[in-house]
Amino acid sequence: MSVDKYLESIETVILCRQLSPVEKLVLHQSWMGQTYTAMSQDSSYGNSYLKEVGSQLWEELSKSVGQKVTKKNLNLVLSEYLERQTQTNVVVAIPKLVLPSPGAALPAKSPLYVNRPPVEELACAEISQPGCLLQIKAPRKMGKTSLLNQIIGCARDWNYYIIYLDFQEIEEAVLMTLDKFLRWFCLNISRQLNLPPCIEDYWDEEMGSKVSCKIYINNYVLQKVNNPIVLAFNELNRVFDRQEIVQEFLPMLRFWHEQAQRFESWQKLRLVLVQSTEIYFQLNLNQSPFNVGLSLRLPQLSLEQVRELALRYGLNWLDNNQLQEIMAMVGGHPYLVNLAFYYLRREKVLLEELLQVAPTPAGIYSNHLRAYLTMLRDEPQLKLALQQVVNADENVKLSAITAYKLESMGLIELDGFSAKPSCELYRLYFRQQLGREREENDRQILQRLSRKPNKVDQLTQLANRIYFQEYLETQWRQCQENSSFLSMLFCNIDYFNFYSQAFGEEAAATCLQQIGITIDDCVMRYPSALVGRYESTKFAVLLPGVERNTAVAIAENIRQSVKALAIAHDRSIYDGFPEDVLTVSIGGTSQIPKPHLASEELIIAVNEVLTLAKKEGGNRIVFDS
C-alpha cells in the first residue's frame, strides 16, 4: 500500500477525520523515516512545532488503535492494525455513530453533515468550472470548514489535485514579510503536489516577490500537472491584520483568476477562499478577489434540517415541540444545534436543564459566548450597540458600519438597518453580562468619586468641572516628574440646542446621560483615565500616560460610538443638519508637561482645536500639533 493510501486509511478508518496539511507532512515524512530536523529544513515549519504536532498525533493514534504508537513504530503498528481491520471485515463506513469533538470540522461524507441546499450543489458545480474563484463567508462556527471538506471530497472524486492551506497553522515568522510569505506559499504548493521545490530557480529580487510567485506557479507548477488543481485557503481572514500581505496577496489572487479568462494554463487553477466575517478590514474592492467569482454565505439550518440532524444523532425521541424549543433558543446555528445534540446523545444533560442554563456561564455554550464577550470588550462602540439591541423590546436602528460589523459577527439579524439579536441565547446572555459590566463600571466610578464630596455631576454621575481640574493638576505634576505623556480631549455635542428645543428638557437630559456613559465606556480600559462633564454639552477626557496616536484612536472610537447611538434629530422642526443623528466634535492634544508651563495651557490648547473641529462642520477630530 502506498503512503498516500495509508494516510487516507488513517483519516477514514482510524481517526475518522481529515488530517491537516502539517499532520499529513509529519505522518508522511515519519513513514519515510525522516527526522523532525529534516522535516523542518524541507518545510517552513519550526522543529519544535513539528514535534508538538507529532506528539499529539501519536497520542491520538494510540487511543484509536488501543496500542502505543510512536514515531519509530508507526509503520508496524498501523500496518498491523489496518490489516486486522481488513481480515475481520470491518466496514470503513462507520457502522455506528462516532461522535466528533464538539466544534470539530466534519470530514467529507460524514454522516453528521447535513446539506443546506443549494449551497453544496452550487459549490461543487463552481469548482468544475475552469479558472473559477469560489468564496465561502460566514461567522465563526457556521460550518465553513465542514463545507470546504465536502467540496474537497467532491474534487477528489473527479481526480483533481488538492492543495489545502489552513492559515490557522501559519507561524508568525512567515508573516513578517511578503517575500517570506510567498516563498512559504509556493513551498507548500510544491510539497502537496509532490513536486521538488525549485523556488530559487524562479525567484528574482529585481522582478519582486509577486511576479516571481506568478512565474513559479505558471511556468513550473501548472506545467507539471495535467488535472485541475483546487487551491483551498481556510481561515484566510487570519492574514487580514497584516497590511503588506493583505494588500498584495489578495489582489494577486484576483489577477490569477482574471488570467484564466485569457490563458488556458491558468484555467487549471480553481481557487476556494474561506473566511470568517468577524474581522472587518478595508480593501479596494476593484483590487481584491471579494467582488469576483461566486460568493456563498452559509445560511442557518431550517427546522427540517435540524430534524434530519437529530435523527442522524439517533435522537428519535425529540418531537417537533422539543426541536422548536431548541431552535427558539439557538435558532438554526449549526454549531449551537450540534452542541446541544452532542450533549443530549451523550446523556450529559436533560433538554429542560440544557435550555434553562444555556444563556448562563454554567451552560454548555459558555466558551462560545465568552469568546464573543472578549471581542466586544475590544470594541466598545459595538458592545454599546449590542447592549441597546438586547435590551430593546423592538428592533433597534443602528449606523451602517456598526450594523454590518455586528451582523458579520453573527450576533444580530438585520431588517434594513434595524437590528434584533440573531437568537434568544445571545439576547439573554449579553443582556445579563453587558448589564453587569455596566453596573460594575458605574459602581467603580461612584466609589472613586464618592470620596470627593460635591465633585460629582448630578446628571451624568461623572466628575464635575471642579474635580476634573483638580485631577488635571495632580496628573500634570506627576507626568512632569515622570516625563510621560498627558493627553486630553474635549468632546462637544454638535447642534445640541436644536435637539433640546425639539424634544424638551427631559429628553435632553437623557441624551446627555447616554453620551456621557458612552464616552466613559470608550476609556474604561485605561485605569488612570477620567471623564468629566466640563460644561453643559462639553465632556472632558484626561488620559495620563497615553501618547498621541493612542489618544487619536480613542477620540475616533468616541466619535463613532456616539454616532452609533443613532439619536436622531427632529427634521420635522429643523432641517439641514450635516448628519441625521447627534454627533460630537473632538479637540485633543498630547504633550509631556514642561516645568515652565501650567496645566491651564493644556485646556487652552484643547479648546482652540475643538473650535476648529466645530468650524469645520462638526463630527470630526482635530488634534493640536
Side-chain angles (χ1 to χ4, degrees):
M1 188 184 293
S2 68
V3 178
D4 289 337
K5 287 292 184 182
Y6 271 118
L7 293 180
E8 184 176 342
S9 297
I10 288 170
E11 286 183 323
T12 57
V13 179
I14 300 177
L15 296 180
C16 300
R17 69 170 177 83
Q18 185 176 18
L19 294 166
S20 70
V22 67
E23 288 175 329
K24 287 182 179 179
L25 171 69
V26 170
L27 277 169
H28 188 283
Q29 297 299 311
S30 296
W31 202 281
M32 303 301 293
Q34 291 291 327
T35 64
Y36 287 120
T37 301
M39 294 182 211
S40 178
Q41 290 172 349
D42 290 341
S43 71
S44 59
Y45 298 110
N47 197 337
S48 59
Y49 177 64
L50 292 173
K51 286 182 179 179
E52 181 182 349
V53 171
S55 176
Q56 293 173 352
L57 260 178
W58 314 145
E59 183 179 352
E60 187 177 358
L61 287 167
S62 299
K63 290 179 181 178
S64 297
V65 303
Q67 185 178 348
K68 181 69 174 178
V69 176
T70 66
K71 188 173 182 296
K72 292 183 178 180
N73 71 7
L74 172 72
N75 303 47
L76 179 62
V77 173
L78 296 190
S79 296
E80 290 178 350
Y81 178 82
L82 291 170
E83 185 176 350
R84 288 198 303 272
Q85 300 297 82
T86 303
Q87 290 173 352
T88 55
N89 295 320
V90 173
V91 183
V92 172
I94 306 170
K96 65 176 183 178
L97 181 66
V98 176
L99 295 180
S101 300
L106 299 173
K109 301 175 184 177
S110 166
L112 291 180
Y113 186 85
V114 175
N115 285 346
R116 286 174 267 183
V119 170
E120 290 78 13
E121 182 181 351
L122 288 173
C124 288
E126 183 66 16
I127 63 165
S128 70
Q129 301 301 312
C132 72
L133 189 151
L134 172 64
Q135 303 167 56
I136 302 172
K137 301 178 182 180
R140 60 196 300 269
K141 301 291 188 182
M142 280 291 289
K144 301 181 297 297
T145 307
S146 295
L147 172 60
L148 178 59
N149 290 343
Q150 311 312 306
I151 296 169
I152 289 174
C154 186
R156 282 199 174 118
D157 290 342
W158 297 340
N159 293 320
Y160 287 5
Y161 293 102
I162 307 298
I163 300 170
Y164 180 87
L165 300 177
D166 194 330
F167 283 83
Q168 295 177 100
E169 298 173 348
I170 193 168
E171 294 185 358
E172 286 295 314
V174 175
L175 298 172
M176 295 301 292
T177 66
L178 178 67
D179 183 77
K180 194 172 185 65
F181 172 76
L182 291 180
R183 286 173 178 267
W184 169 89
F185 174 65
C186 291
L187 181 61
N188 268 276
I189 290 175
S190 302
R191 292 295 184 192
Q192 292 190 42
L193 291 174
N194 292 319
L195 295 174
C198 302
I199 295 174
E200 295 304 328
D201 295 342
Y202 292 87
W203 225 258
D204 189 321
E205 291 184 3
E206 296 297 325
M207 290 191 298
S209 301
K210 282 173 63 177
V211 175
S212 298
C213 180
K214 172 198 166 186
I215 293 173
Y216 183 81
I217 298 300
N218 188 48
N219 294 8
Y220 177 59
V221 173
L222 295 179
Q223 301 305 318
K224 292 289 185 180
V225 297
N226 296 319
N227 291 354
I229 300 172
V230 172
L231 177 51
F233 301 87
N234 194 30
E235 295 293 337
L236 183 61
N237 48 279
R238 290 299 180 98
V239 300
F240 286 176
D241 61 346
R242 303 292 178 144
Q243 188 173 5
E244 179 189 11
I245 291 175
V246 77
Q247 289 185 346
E248 299 290 348
F249 182 62
L250 296 185
M252 184 184 78
L253 295 181
R254 179 191 176 111
F255 177 71
W256 290 4
H257 169 66
E258 292 171 343
Q259 289 289 89
Q261 313 304 316
R262 302 168 53 202
F263 302 105
E264 187 176 348
S265 60
W266 286 99
Q267 293 179 5
K268 295 178 186 176
L269 199 60
R270 287 93 198 275
L271 302 175
V272 183
L273 314 181
V274 180
Q275 69 173 96
S276 294
T277 54
E278 286 85 356
I279 298 178
Y280 174 78
F281 78 106
Q282 291 183 328
L283 185 70
N284 186 339
L285 285 178
N286 293 322
Q287 296 178 350
S288 82
F290 298 132
N291 67 338
V292 294
L294 175 64
S295 179
L296 294 177
R297 286 189 173 268
L298 299 189
Q300 296 205 354
L301 299 173
S302 67
L303 177 59
E304 285 301 318
Q305 290 159 358
V306 170
R307 183 183 294 110
E308 174 65 23
L309 184 60
L311 293 175
R312 296 190 187 190
Y313 268 93
L315 300 174
N316 304 330
W317 53 270
L318 285 174
D319 59 29
N320 274 351
N321 290 335
Q322 291 170 313
L323 291 175
Q324 287 172 350
E325 286 180 25
I326 294 172
M327 293 190 70
M329 177 61 71
V330 301
H333 192 294
Y335 170 68
L336 302 181
V337 172
N338 269 282
L339 192 59
F341 288 170
Y342 176 87
Y343 277 90
L344 292 173
R345 170 65 189 266
R346 293 283 298 270
E347 298 179 349
K348 295 284 186 182
V349 65
L350 298 175
L351 178 59
E352 183 180 1
E353 180 187 350
L354 184 151
L355 295 176
Q356 185 175 358
V357 300
T360 72
I364 64 173
Y365 301 117
S366 57
N367 290 336
H368 175 76
L369 295 167
R370 272 200 301 269
Y372 274 128
L373 192 60
T374 300
M375 283 190 275
L376 289 167
R377 283 172 177 156
D378 292 333
E379 297 281 353
Q381 74 273 22
L382 295 186
K383 184 175 77 169
L384 182 64
L386 182 63
Q387 189 172 11
Q388 288 181 279
V389 173
V390 298
N391 286 333
D393 295 327
E394 299 178 347
N395 289 7
V396 175
K397 185 177 180 182
L398 301 175
S399 68
I401 293 297
T402 299
Y404 172 78
K405 289 182 178 181
L406 288 175
E407 184 190 34
S408 296
M409 293 172 72
L411 293 174
I412 64 170
E413 291 179 358
L414 289 177
D415 180 9
F417 293 129
S418 295
K420 67 176 181 179
S422 56
C423 66
E424 191 65 12
L425 177 72
Y426 294 159
R427 181 192 297 278
L428 296 174
Y429 178 81
F430 290 112
R431 178 183 287 176
Q432 180 187 50
Q433 294 301 315
L434 297 181
R436 184 175 296 170
E437 289 190 2
R438 177 71 256 169
E439 290 172 4
E440 176 62 19
N441 184 51
D442 290 345
R443 185 190 65 78
Q444 290 177 0
I445 293 171
L446 290 173
Q447 187 178 47
R448 182 169 63 184
L449 295 180
S450 63
R451 306 189 190 104
K452 312 287 180 180
N454 303 320
K455 296 181 182 179
V456 178
D457 178 67
Q458 296 304 308
L459 177 63
T460 63
Q461 294 300 300
L462 299 171
N464 64 15
R465 181 169 178 164
I466 295 173
Y467 179 57
F468 186 89
Q469 289 184 310
E470 289 178 1
Y471 190 72
L472 168 61
E473 188 63 36
T474 301
Q475 294 302 319
W476 179 271
R477 289 195 299 270
Q478 288 186 6
C479 290
Q480 196 176 83
E481 292 170 3
N482 301 330
S483 295
S484 57
F485 273 95
L486 181 62
S487 296
M488 181 174 165
L489 311 174
F490 271 153
C491 312
N492 203 333
I493 308 173
D494 299 320
Y495 308 105
F496 189 74
N497 57 324
F498 294 104
Y499 179 89
S500 179
Q501 291 171 23
F503 292 100
E505 292 184 4
E506 185 175 345
T510 302
C511 177
L512 286 168
Q513 291 172 332
Q514 281 184 284
I515 292 176
I517 289 170
T518 301
I519 295 172
D520 196 56
D521 272 345
C522 292
V523 299
M524 190 187 301
R525 73 176 77 175
Y526 302 93
S528 300
L530 180 70
V531 178
R533 188 182 179 201
Y534 200 79
E535 292 173 358
S536 60
T537 63
K538 182 192 293 185
F539 294 88
V541 181
L542 196 66
L543 299 163
V546 173
E547 48 80 35
R548 177 188 172 87
N549 289 342
T550 304
V552 172
I554 292 170
E556 177 60 18
N557 191 10
I558 291 171
R559 188 190 69 79
Q560 290 187 18
S561 298
V562 171
K563 188 175 180 180
L565 291 172
I567 304 172
H569 294 288
D570 186 350
R571 287 185 174 272
S572 64
I573 299 178
Y574 304 107
D575 204 351
F577 297 111
E579 301 287 341
D580 292 336
V581 297
L582 285 183
T583 58
V584 289
S585 296
I586 301 177
T589 189
S590 297
Q591 54 184 270
I592 298 175
K594 305 297 183 184
H596 62 280
L597 296 177
S599 61
E600 287 78 9
E601 300 290 341
L602 199 67
I603 295 174
I604 293 170
V606 180
N607 259 324
E608 287 178 353
V609 288
L610 174 65
T611 301
L612 288 176
K614 295 184 75 66
K615 283 182 177 179
E616 292 178 12
N619 187 29
R620 67 191 64 235
I621 301 163
V622 177
F623 250 69
D624 175 28
S625 60

